[in-house]
PDB file of all heavy atoms in Angstrom:
ATOM      1  N   HIS P 537     -34.415  -3.844 -28.030  1.00  0.00           N
ATOM      2  CA  HIS P 537     -35.578  -3.045 -28.410  1.00  0.00           C
ATOM      3  C   HIS P 537     -36.228  -3.487 -29.711  1.00  0.00           C
ATOM      4  O   HIS P 537     -37.033  -2.756 -30.272  1.00  0.00           O
ATOM      5  CB  HIS P 537     -35.197  -1.570 -28.492  1.00  0.00           C
ATOM      6  CG  HIS P 537     -34.740  -1.023 -27.178  1.00  0.00           C
ATOM      7  ND1 HIS P 537     -35.596  -0.834 -26.105  1.00  0.00           N
ATOM      8  CD2 HIS P 537     -33.519  -0.671 -26.731  1.00  0.00           C
ATOM      9  CE1 HIS P 537     -34.912  -0.372 -25.077  1.00  0.00           C
ATOM     10  NE2 HIS P 537     -33.657  -0.264 -25.430  1.00  0.00           N
ATOM     11  N   SER P 538     -35.893  -4.660 -30.172  1.00  0.00           N
ATOM     12  CA  SER P 538     -36.485  -5.128 -31.414  1.00  0.00           C
ATOM     13  C   SER P 538     -37.274  -6.406 -31.168  1.00  0.00           C
ATOM     14  O   SER P 538     -36.721  -7.434 -30.795  1.00  0.00           O
ATOM     15  CB  SER P 538     -35.417  -5.364 -32.475  1.00  0.00           C
ATOM     16  OG  SER P 538     -36.031  -5.841 -33.648  1.00  0.00           O
ATOM     17  N   ASP P 539     -38.565  -6.302 -31.392  1.00  0.00           N
ATOM     18  CA  ASP P 539     -39.419  -7.481 -31.235  1.00  0.00           C
ATOM     19  C   ASP P 539     -39.470  -8.305 -32.511  1.00  0.00           C
ATOM     20  O   ASP P 539     -40.052  -9.383 -32.532  1.00  0.00           O
ATOM     21  CB  ASP P 539     -40.840  -7.047 -30.872  1.00  0.00           C
ATOM     22  CG  ASP P 539     -40.893  -6.321 -29.551  1.00  0.00           C
ATOM     23  OD1 ASP P 539     -40.047  -6.616 -28.685  1.00  0.00           O
ATOM     24  OD2 ASP P 539     -41.772  -5.450 -29.398  1.00  0.00           O
ATOM     25  N   THR P 540     -38.854  -7.810 -33.585  1.00  0.00           N
ATOM     26  CA  THR P 540     -38.968  -8.482 -34.877  1.00  0.00           C
ATOM     27  C   THR P 540     -37.745  -9.291 -35.256  1.00  0.00           C
ATOM     28  O   THR P 540     -37.785 -10.028 -36.230  1.00  0.00           O
ATOM     29  CB  THR P 540     -39.229  -7.450 -35.988  1.00  0.00           C
ATOM     30  OG1 THR P 540     -38.119  -6.534 -36.029  1.00  0.00           O
ATOM     31  CG2 THR P 540     -40.508  -6.681 -35.729  1.00  0.00           C
ATOM     32  N   LEU P 541     -36.653  -9.165 -34.503  1.00  0.00           N
ATOM     33  CA  LEU P 541     -35.448  -9.921 -34.849  1.00  0.00           C
ATOM     34  C   LEU P 541     -35.640 -11.395 -34.492  1.00  0.00           C
ATOM     35  O   LEU P 541     -36.185 -11.724 -33.440  1.00  0.00           O
ATOM     36  CB  LEU P 541     -34.225  -9.365 -34.114  1.00  0.00           C
ATOM     37  CG  LEU P 541     -33.774  -7.994 -34.561  1.00  0.00           C
ATOM     38  CD1 LEU P 541     -32.595  -7.529 -33.691  1.00  0.00           C
ATOM     39  CD2 LEU P 541     -33.357  -7.992 -36.013  1.00  0.00           C
ATOM     40  N   PRO P 542     -35.171 -12.291 -35.344  1.00  0.00           N
ATOM     41  CA  PRO P 542     -35.365 -13.731 -35.108  1.00  0.00           C
ATOM     42  C   PRO P 542     -34.328 -14.308 -34.149  1.00  0.00           C
ATOM     43  O   PRO P 542     -33.370 -14.951 -34.536  1.00  0.00           O
ATOM     44  CB  PRO P 542     -35.199 -14.320 -36.513  1.00  0.00           C
ATOM     45  CG  PRO P 542     -34.240 -13.393 -37.175  1.00  0.00           C
ATOM     46  CD  PRO P 542     -34.555 -12.023 -36.626  1.00  0.00           C
ATOM     47  N   PHE P 543     -34.520 -14.091 -32.868  1.00  0.00           N
ATOM     48  CA  PHE P 543     -33.564 -14.585 -31.882  1.00  0.00           C
ATOM     49  C   PHE P 543     -33.752 -16.054 -31.578  1.00  0.00           C
ATOM     50  O   PHE P 543     -32.843 -16.716 -31.126  1.00  0.00           O
ATOM     51  CB  PHE P 543     -33.672 -13.802 -30.568  1.00  0.00           C
ATOM     52  CG  PHE P 543     -33.175 -12.406 -30.672  1.00  0.00           C
ATOM     53  CD1 PHE P 543     -33.996 -11.353 -30.348  1.00  0.00           C
ATOM     54  CD2 PHE P 543     -31.901 -12.142 -31.099  1.00  0.00           C
ATOM     55  CE1 PHE P 543     -33.545 -10.063 -30.430  1.00  0.00           C
ATOM     56  CE2 PHE P 543     -31.435 -10.841 -31.187  1.00  0.00           C
ATOM     57  CZ  PHE P 543     -32.263  -9.804 -30.857  1.00  0.00           C
ATOM     58  N   GLY P 544     -34.934 -16.565 -31.772  1.00  0.00           N
ATOM     59  CA  GLY P 544     -35.189 -17.950 -31.415  1.00  0.00           C
ATOM     60  C   GLY P 544     -35.186 -18.114 -29.910  1.00  0.00           C
ATOM     61  O   GLY P 544     -35.489 -17.201 -29.167  1.00  0.00           O
ATOM     62  N   ALA P 545     -34.774 -19.264 -29.464  1.00  0.00           N
ATOM     63  CA  ALA P 545     -34.799 -19.559 -28.033  1.00  0.00           C
ATOM     64  C   ALA P 545     -33.615 -18.964 -27.291  1.00  0.00           C
ATOM     65  O   ALA P 545     -33.622 -18.901 -26.076  1.00  0.00           O
ATOM     66  CB  ALA P 545     -34.814 -21.071 -27.833  1.00  0.00           C
ATOM     67  N   SER P 546     -32.598 -18.511 -28.010  1.00  0.00           N
ATOM     68  CA  SER P 546     -31.387 -18.045 -27.342  1.00  0.00           C
ATOM     69  C   SER P 546     -31.501 -16.646 -26.788  1.00  0.00           C
ATOM     70  O   SER P 546     -30.764 -16.282 -25.880  1.00  0.00           O
ATOM     71  CB  SER P 546     -30.195 -18.121 -28.285  1.00  0.00           C
ATOM     72  OG  SER P 546     -30.366 -17.209 -29.355  1.00  0.00           O
TER      73      SER P 546
END
Side-chain angles (χ1 to χ4, degrees):
H537 298 290
S538 179
D539 297 330
T540 61
L541 291 177
F543 290 123
S546 66

